[in-house]
Amino acid sequence: MNYTSFFKAEWLSLLRRKQDTLNALLFFVMVITLFPLGVDPSSEFLAPAAGGIIWCATALSVLMAVEGLFKEDFNDGSLEQWLASGLSVSVLVLLKVLAQWLMVMVPLLLALPVLAQMLFLPWSSLLTVMGSLLLGTPALFLIGAIGAALTVSLRRGAVLMLLLILPLYIPVIIFATGAIRAAQLQMSVSGQLAILAAMSIVALALAPVMTAISIKASVN
Amino acid sequence: MQKSVNLQVNQLYLERGDRDLCQDLTFSVTSGELVRVAGENGAGKSSLMKALLGWLPIESGQIEYKGEDVTVHRDVLLADQLYLGHTPGIKTVLTPLENLRLYCPEASLQALEQALEHVQLGPYADIPAAQLSAGQKRRVALARLWLTDKPLWLLDEPFTALDHAGVLALEAHIKTHLDSGGAVMLTTHQTLLTLSAKTVELAAA
Amino acid sequence: MNWTWFHKLGSPKWFYQWASKWAGKLVWIGLLLLLIGVVWGLAFAPADYQQGNSFRIIYIHVPVAMLAQSCYLAMGIAGFVALVWQMKLAPVFIKSVAVVGAVMAFIALLSGAIWGKPTWGTWWVWDARLTSVLVLFLLYMGVIAIQNALDDQVFADKAVAVVSLVGVINLPIIKYSVEWWNTLHQPATFRLTEKPSMPMEMWLPLLFSALGLYLFSAGIAMWRMQTEVLKRERKANWVKQEVMSDGI
């Protein structure tokens, strides 16, 4: 096993499971639909709230996609093979998260303009929404991977994983929605976006290590 | 190329929850040796392998590989071994060929196909592993043994899913490996047909 | 460098004997100080010129809120120690302190709400501090939940260490972001920070009750750790002797 063959196999596995990607996207659409139905369908409510709604739906979809990230690898013994391979488990984790991120976020970003219209999000702030998603979601995936590794041996780990990870998502959501709100008020958004990028970079440095520690502890 | 193995385990003490798996266990695995870990179900045969690989904490004892103390950092040992566990890491969405390509990326397509022939999976090379039986999945993993040049093999129950001919083929392959200076440590409930092994006994204290 | 002191601290047996000497004393001294502080504060300290008598809840609220944060910081440090030096006692510490911290965070929220009603006219405001204490409480619950969910002791110990460490790295980020969010949302109508500087006779009982609560909680945590050590080392000879000599 080497890093290239690992990434290829991961990517191939994801391609073979197109339905999982589609499910994450459908879940995203469902959560977004709940807001007009459950709160208020008028554009006076939806337009200013759109950024927050999109980000809450994203955070939940990411958690759903990441929750089972290592479950199959745990059950079929792949995690043991990662550890026995002598390769850096942190790098393997990073590659796996990268593949998953591409698989979930690309379709989501493609669907976003349509959904944004349904929420009456002004065109002018759509770019900021996309930018905040591009810069902020890596942190969500990487932090989520820690939770996925910690709950990998549990048969019903999803709720526990939500409890562990959602509080850690708060800063990302705050700055992302802050950026969108600033864009709607025609203010500068570079500060908030820079903070989002910084959070993703910190997560990039620390989360794979923490995930690797948890993976190693899970196979004993 | 002559392989060389020299693994020394000194006074190993392992526990799992409340049970002592072993106390003062001392043994060695050197070139040309087949070491069989014996013990009842639940005696901790798999745990011993995991402890050697560094996944299970060691209460006390020392592990040396090629004269180097690897008790804390197993890197030297990890670089030299091939481990196949109970569940040997076969992805069910991938075909046997794709699985082998993941683990042995430098092997040629011909070599991969040959390895699958050795475990009687030639005709199944391009079928998703989800459609294979549990035994066939294990055999996909065993095919890696025909593609590797690692000197030390750690095999957890390698014979369980094999028929008579399969066992003979694997034993013959192990024999070649031992003759070339390699070493094998395995656990099994079956009696070995053609090979004689050094036994490490794990008795519950 | 000589690390023996560090390993000694990590030895469960050494800790148990050390804690037997100190835990009880800490609990009683702490309780006494806490009692002095609270009685003094509730009955004798002068009333606040703005908030009247309702301000007196600070003699409970402030020490509890301080402790809730200190406990998590200590857990994060213990998580780091557990992961880097594999010290046996560190996960025991996290497990024991998590419950104390969670209780403190909960009391802080509850006493805050009780204070809020007469002062602000509402049980809850999305104030930055309240929100971060709520998140802190959730982080504590996460540690406790994963500890309870994992059966395997080795994995559970690693897991709580990871969660505590990740939590402690995130705590300042969460705090900062919530403060930033709060100023964006609403101007500072109700700020706990803008207190008039306290006169001595108000401040001294607060010091007493805070110090008392810290000592008391330290003693309780040590008791909990002792129990956990006994449970984990139940096979060791010194534990058998210890239990026998207590006549059980």
Side-chain angles (χ1 to χ4, degrees), chain C residues 13-248:
Chain C
K13 180 184 175 185
W14 188 85
F15 168 80
Y16 184 88
Q17 284 160 355
W18 179 78
S20 307
K21 258 183 272 168
W22 289 100
K25 284 178 199 152
L26 283 180
V27 167
W28 291 116
I29 295 172
L31 209 55
L32 188 71
L33 285 177
L34 185 61
L35 213 65
I36 295 174
V38 169
V39 170
W40 187 354
L42 292 186
F44 300 106
D48 187 73
Y49 74 96
Q50 271 184 331
Q51 301 188 7
N53 279 324
S54 70
F55 98 99
R56 290 178 198 279
I57 205 161
I58 62 162
Y59 296 112
I60 294 166
H61 180 79
V62 170
V64 162
M66 278 162 64
L67 194 62
Q69 293 181 37
S70 313
C71 281
Y72 208 95
L73 183 66
M75 274 165 56
I77 294 168
F80 185 75
V81 170
L83 292 179
V84 175
W85 290 290
Q86 326 271 328
M87 192 192 263
K88 267 186 167 181
L89 216 51
V92 178
F93 176 82
I94 297 175
K95 192 183 175 185
S96 309
V97 170
V99 179
V100 176
V103 170
M104 293 304 153
F106 184 74
I107 299 177
L109 285 172
L110 200 70
S111 57
I114 294 170
W115 191 1
K117 187 65 185 163
T119 318
W120 305 327
T122 160
W123 297 104
W124 181 265
V125 286
W126 286 99
D127 170 81
R129 284 199 189 193
L130 270 70
T131 313
S132 23
V133 174
L134 180 65
V135 175
L136 183 66
F137 176 68
L138 290 174
L139 287 175
Y140 274 121
M141 292 321 280
V143 174
I144 295 171
I146 188 118
Q147 167 78 45
N148 289 335
L150 294 172
D151 297 324
D152 184 87
Q153 188 74 67
V154 179
F155 189 14
D157 284 353
K158 276 270 155 57
V160 291
V162 167
V163 176
S164 309
L165 184 55
V166 170
V168 103
I169 294 168
N170 270 281
L171 213 52
I173 303 177
I174 294 173
K175 244 184 125 106
Y176 168 70
S177 66
V178 168
E179 259 157 39
W180 183 84
W181 159 79
N182 182 259
T183 49
L184 188 81
H185 259 250
Q186 51 178 47
T189 31
F190 309 118
R191 269 325 230 345
L192 295 178
T193 30
E194 287 161 21
K195 253 179 274 169
S197 58
M198 266 187 213
M200 196 61 154
E201 56 270 37
M202 280 170 147
W203 182 78
L204 215 53
L206 186 61
L207 183 72
F208 265 78
S209 58
L211 198 64
L213 192 69
Y214 268 81
L215 295 179
F216 174 71
S217 305
I220 295 282
M222 275 158 73
W223 270 346
R224 289 180 55 85
M225 283 175 76
Q226 278 189 305
T227 318
E228 185 67 21
V229 164
L230 283 186
K231 212 165 86 189
R232 290 186 182 206
E233 302 287 314
R234 58 188 171 270
K235 282 194 306 173
N237 277 326
W238 69 267
V239 172
K240 287 176 189 150
Q241 276 167 12
E242 191 69 41
V243 175
M244 296 297 262
S245 68
D246 275 357
I248 302 161

Side-chain angles (χ1 to χ4, degrees), chain A residues 185-205:
Chain A
L185 297 173
Q186 320 291 326
M187 280 156 43
S188 162
V189 297
S190 52
Q192 286 93 316
L193 291 184
I195 290 175
L196 281 181
M199 286 197 271
S200 281
I201 289 168
V202 172
L204 202 63

Side-chain angles (χ1 to χ4, degrees), chain B residues 141-153:
Chain B
L142 286 174
R144 286 173 60 191
L145 296 177
W146 273 270
L147 294 163
T148 183
D149 55 358
K150 303 270 173 162
L152 174 62
W153 296 355

